[in-house]
Amino acid sequence: MNKSIFTYLFLLIALFIISCRGNKEDSKGVEVRYSGALKTIMSGDIQSVMGLDSLSKLDNLYALGAAENLKGEIQIFIGQPSNSSVKNGSIVISDSFDQGASLLVYASVKEWEEHRIDGNLNKKELEALIYELAKEQAINVEKPFPFLLEGAIGSLDWHVIDWEDGDNVHSHEKHKNSGLNGTLQNEEVQIVGFYSTKHKTIFTHHTTNMHMHFKTDDNKLAGHIDDLNTSSSITLKLPKQ
């Protein structure tokens, strides 16, 4: 065989091996993607940045966000939307992908590893514990990662935004009070969250590393979590490595 041809084939094989190895490393962790940003919303830009229908075919999809024009909350569990909005003073839950989002954070997670959390923890304590358990599980905490919480929650403060058309002055308090809000106590819930130390004002607020949404087990209520306290025991799920 001609030496130059042999060298060329050798380089092709080497590049193929390297590329395969790289793909394997890239797929080891769960990739968190997002569109839109909280700081953009706070500046008054609340138009749609993507349609949920573009994600409808993704397997094992988990997502949260704000609906287009801030007319509701988006939460998706295992590819099933439980999106909430305010209609005539009541919460309405929709399972449709046919809507836009002004902010969306999402990931596909095939397998989860469970951790039992006992005792009463406030939101700040829960945030610290999730970080430590993620490190113990060899999750790269320098990158964003999703998590789930399931079980009876001690208390949970929630809101579902219903922004007034034409209002361009935004604040966190106005977001909480624009639609409906309330407190759940000792209810069974499912929570989808995203943790990141590097995305404040992007998809987490400037005071926290977590953004969480919930739905009740009976799927009659869902929305954004403002605060919570755990009670007795709850299950934390982190992406299996």
Side-chain angles (χ1 to χ4, degrees):
M1 180 182 295
N2 185 283
K3 185 177 180 181
S4 61
I5 296 176
F6 178 82
T7 303
Y8 177 73
L9 289 174
F10 176 80
L11 288 173
L12 281 178
I13 293 170
L15 286 171
F16 176 78
I17 292 171
I18 290 170
S19 65
C20 290
R21 192 174 296 166
N23 288 337
K24 186 176 181 182
E25 290 173 354
D26 289 342
S27 64
K28 181 182 179 182
V30 170
E31 183 178 5
V32 172
R33 299 183 180 183
Y34 64 91
S35 189
L38 288 169
K39 61 183 180 181
T40 303
I41 289 173
M42 288 302 193
S43 74
D45 186 353
I46 58 176
Q47 65 183 350
S48 176
V49 292
M50 72 179 300
L52 295 188
D53 55 354
S54 64
L55 304 178
S56 62
K57 303 300 183 183
L58 286 182
D59 293 331
N60 307 300
L61 174 67
Y62 296 84
L64 60 80
E68 180 179 5
N69 297 320
L70 302 186
K71 293 296 186 180
E73 309 288 345
I74 294 168
Q75 35 280 323
I76 300 175
F77 296 81
I78 327 178
Q80 182 65 40
S82 292
N83 300 328
S84 49
S85 59
V86 180
K87 305 292 183 186
N88 300 319
S90 299
I91 299 294
V92 175
I93 304 296
S94 169
D95 63 359
S96 174
F97 280 93
D98 186 21
Q99 71 176 96
S102 57
L103 172 70
L104 196 69
V105 192
Y106 59 99
S108 293
V109 185
K110 186 176 181 179
E111 293 184 274
W112 299 88
E113 189 163 317
E114 295 187 2
H115 303 264
R116 180 175 172 178
I117 296 178
D118 295 314
N120 300 319
L121 298 176
N122 61 34
K123 187 180 177 183
K124 207 71 179 176
E125 293 167 332
L126 178 63
E127 181 178 317
L129 181 58
I130 290 174
Y131 180 81
E132 292 303 321
L133 290 174
K135 285 200 301 183
E136 289 179 13
Q137 197 180 301
I139 291 174
N140 183 358
V141 294
E142 294 300 311
K143 294 183 177 181
F145 61 88
F147 63 89
L148 303 176
L149 291 164
E150 298 176 353
I153 203 76
S155 66
L156 186 154
D157 296 340
W158 61 270
H159 78 260
V160 174
I161 197 167
D162 185 27
W163 195 249
E164 183 178 349
D165 294 336
D167 188 348
N168 294 316
V169 181
H170 291 259
S171 72
H172 186 53
E173 283 302 313
K174 284 180 71 175
H175 282 192
K176 287 197 297 183
N177 297 323
S178 71
L180 293 180
N181 60 72
T183 299
L184 294 178
Q185 291 186 323
N186 302 315
E187 286 221 33
E188 296 281 337
V189 296
Q190 298 175 45
I191 295 171
V192 57
F194 289 86
Y195 192 109
S196 177
T197 61
K198 301 182 185 301
H199 289 82
K200 286 183 170 67
T201 75
I202 304 298
F203 60 77
T204 72
H205 291 288
H206 68 281
T207 59
T208 179
N209 293 322
M210 301 190 300
H211 190 161
M212 298 181 290
H213 284 205
F214 80 100
K215 70 169 185 169
T216 55
D217 275 10
D218 60 12
N219 206 37
K220 291 183 178 179
L221 181 62
H224 177 91
I225 296 176
D226 295 310
D227 200 5
L228 60 75
N229 287 274
T230 64
S231 179
S232 61
S233 67
I234 193 166
T235 299
L236 166 68
K237 293 183 178 181
L238 294 170
K240 193 169 185 179
Q241 300 300 292

